Amino acid sequence: MAQKKSFVLRVDPELLKQVEIWANDEFRSTNSQIEWIIHEALKKNKRLKKNSGETSESNQ
């Protein structure tokens, strides 16, 4: 597995609450959900490099 970098993220409490609910609905941790959201946004906007860990939709 690729090494991951930690960083502090300040987020509105209500926004975080909604992400936690969404993560729970999809059986993910909040951290994994945030990482998935970022990945999907980068993919949608064609900002991912080739072979940058882009996986199939079944990896939810």
Side-chain angles (χ1 to χ4, degrees):
M1 178 174 227
Q3 188 174 8
K4 298 196 177 197
K5 184 174 179 174
S6 298
F7 69 98
V8 176
L9 175 64
R10 291 179 192 89
V11 64
D12 178 87
E14 184 58 32
L15 181 67
L16 181 58
K17 180 180 174 184
Q18 294 306 314
V19 171
E20 289 170 338
I21 291 168
W22 187 9
N24 188 54
D25 290 346
E26 298 198 5
F27 306 104
R28 291 190 179 112
S29 67
T30 302
N31 188 74
S32 292
Q33 188 71 16
I34 292 169
E35 189 171 2
W36 179 82
I37 291 167
I38 293 168
H39 182 268
E40 290 300 305
L42 290 170
K43 186 169 69 170
K44 177 182 174 187
N45 289 284
K46 298 178 176 38
R47 294 188 173 266
L48 285 177
K49 295 179 187 175
K50 297 288 183 191
N51 300 320
S52 66
E54 187 170 335
T55 58
S56 70
E57 296 296 319
S58 63
N59 195 19
Q60 292 184 12

